[in-house]
Amino acid sequence: MNIIVNEDLRAYIDPLTEDEYAALERSILAEGCRDALVLWGEVLIDGHNRYSICSRHGLPFQTVQNTRFTSMEDVHLWMIDQHLGRRSVSDFQRGVLALRKKEILETRRLAVLDDPAPDASASEAATGAGPEAALPPPPPLKSREAIARAARISSATVGQIEKIQKAAAPELVAAVKSGEVSISAAAVIADLPAEEQAAAAAGGKKELRQAAKRVRESRGGKKPASDAVAEVAVEVLGVATTEDGEPEADPRIALLRAQVNALQEENGQLRAQVTELQAQLSAARHSAG
């Protein structure tokens, strides 16, 4: 069987950590490769780590064809949805993947406007696989709230991830991915020059916390309400803290953060509506006068 490994597809989703890869390898060596690798023609779509482990150890594996893809965009959307459905994916990864999905869907929407009937024969010829049935078009992600629902995170977190993607230095992004710094703190640190971000990331958790603290204090000493909620949860709910003083993972904190973020967003929308109504009223008075 000829299997083609597309390096772009292999790198499309963040790779496993060394510990995660080692755990998967131990599982396959003990129990075999239980899940089939997904192919599109000869191109490997899902199961790159399993394929690598099985090939290195000479272990058998099963494959299954997905012949419903008509383009690489279909493949990317399928890969994104597969990973968004996995519990092991971090909130940051969820947000990044959901934002990628939004970009793909928007690009596809614009392409359809330019060419309502694109020809899929080229992609079929390239892979040797024709579609059994067209994939149903996924609903567009037009708003930050829609992106948040797709990623199963708060809309405020989506906004923070967007800021990190635009302004964060590579070292800071790596720190978020590794769990060295929270998404909310990284979004604050992203206001610093790239050199200072990199220096904070090199200093580890404590230096990252200090950098976030300095930025917040420079804004007037105010902390985001979601961070204040975490501190109250530590005191009132008796949540344990880590060595760095951060609250340990607790579903109650996550729920409180989400509720506060939702209320803040609703408050912002109401303020915007009031401002718009005031402008309309002022315009009406001006025209009447």
Side-chain angles (χ1 to χ4, degrees), residues 263-283:
L263 289 172
Q264 286 181 312
E265 185 166 343
E266 183 179 357
N267 183 45
Q269 292 173 348
L270 289 173
R271 286 178 181 274
Q273 291 174 5
V274 169
T275 300
E276 184 178 354
L277 289 172
Q278 288 175 335
Q280 292 175 354
L281 180 59
S282 177

Side-chain angles (χ1 to χ4, degrees), residues 255-266:
L255 177 60
L256 288 171
R257 284 185 189 273
Q259 290 173 337
V260 169
N261 287 332
L263 289 172
Q264 286 181 312
E265 185 166 343
E266 183 179 357

Side-chain angles (χ1 to χ4, degrees), residues 84 98-99 101-102 105 139-155 158 265:
L84 286 178
L99 287 168
K101 183 174 182 178
K102 176 195 175 185
L105 295 178
L141 302 178
K142 295 182 178 180
S143 66
R144 186 172 288 173
E145 291 76 11
I147 298 169
R149 285 193 296 271
R152 299 204 304 274
I153 56 179
S154 72
S155 55
V158 173
E265 185 166 343

Side-chain angles (χ1 to χ4, degrees), residues 118-141:
D119 183 10
S121 59
S123 63
E124 293 175 23
T127 61
E132 292 177 348
L135 286 169
L141 302 178

Side-chain angles (χ1 to χ4, degrees), residues 14-257:
D14 283 345
L16 298 179
T17 65
E18 290 183 6
D19 289 343
E20 290 170 338
Y21 187 91
L24 177 62
E25 186 170 29
R26 289 193 298 270
S27 174
I28 291 177
L29 290 174
E31 305 175 17
C33 187
R34 294 177 295 180
D35 298 323
L37 311 183
V38 180
L39 302 176
W40 180 32
E42 295 183 338
V43 179
L44 180 60
I45 302 301
D46 184 58
H48 291 88
N49 294 305
R50 283 171 279 147
Y51 178 64
S52 171
I53 293 169
C54 289
S55 298
R56 188 167 68 254
H57 294 283
L59 299 175
F61 55 84
Q62 300 294 319
T63 63
V64 61
Q65 283 284 341
N66 190 325
T67 58
R68 302 181 70 190
F69 300 136
T70 60
S71 68
M72 193 57 71
E73 286 182 346
D74 284 343
V75 173
H76 288 160
L77 288 172
W78 183 88
M79 293 175 70
I80 288 171
D81 287 341
Q82 289 294 305
H83 282 76
L84 286 178
R86 293 172 180 171
R87 290 178 293 179
S88 60
V89 179
S90 70
D91 285 351
F92 182 74
Q93 288 177 310
R94 289 183 183 281
V96 169
L97 290 173
L99 287 168
R100 284 184 188 173
K101 183 174 182 178
K102 176 195 175 185
E103 292 177 1
I104 293 172
L105 295 178
E106 179 61 16
T107 300
R108 176 171 289 185
R109 184 185 71 83
L110 295 175
V112 169
L113 292 177
D114 294 336
D115 183 5
D119 183 10
S121 59
S123 63
E124 293 175 23
T127 61
E132 292 177 348
L135 286 169
L141 302 178
K142 295 182 178 180
S143 66
R144 186 172 288 173
E145 291 76 11
I147 298 169
R149 285 193 296 271
R152 299 204 304 274
I153 56 179
S154 72
S155 55
T157 301
V158 173
Q160 292 163 351
I161 293 172
E162 287 179 307
K163 182 178 179 181
I164 292 169
Q165 287 187 307
K166 292 177 181 178
E171 295 85 354
L172 182 58
V173 174
V176 179
K177 291 181 178 180
S178 66
E180 288 280 304
V181 64
S182 68
I183 295 172
S184 59
V188 173
I189 299 170
D191 284 336
L192 294 171
E195 297 79 6
E196 294 185 35
Q197 294 181 39
K205 288 184 179 180
K206 289 186 178 180
E207 182 56 35
L208 286 164
R209 289 183 62 215
Q210 289 299 317
K213 182 179 179 181
R214 289 195 299 270
V215 175
R216 286 167 179 155
E217 288 175 348
S218 70
R219 296 174 178 172
K222 293 183 178 180
K223 290 186 176 182
S226 58
D227 286 353
V229 164
E231 292 183 358
V232 171
V234 170
E235 296 179 5
V236 178
L237 300 178
V239 176
T241 59
T242 65
E243 293 180 357
D244 296 326
E246 292 284 350
E248 290 186 347
D250 189 289
R252 294 170 294 180
I253 293 180
L255 177 60
L256 288 171
R257 284 185 189 273

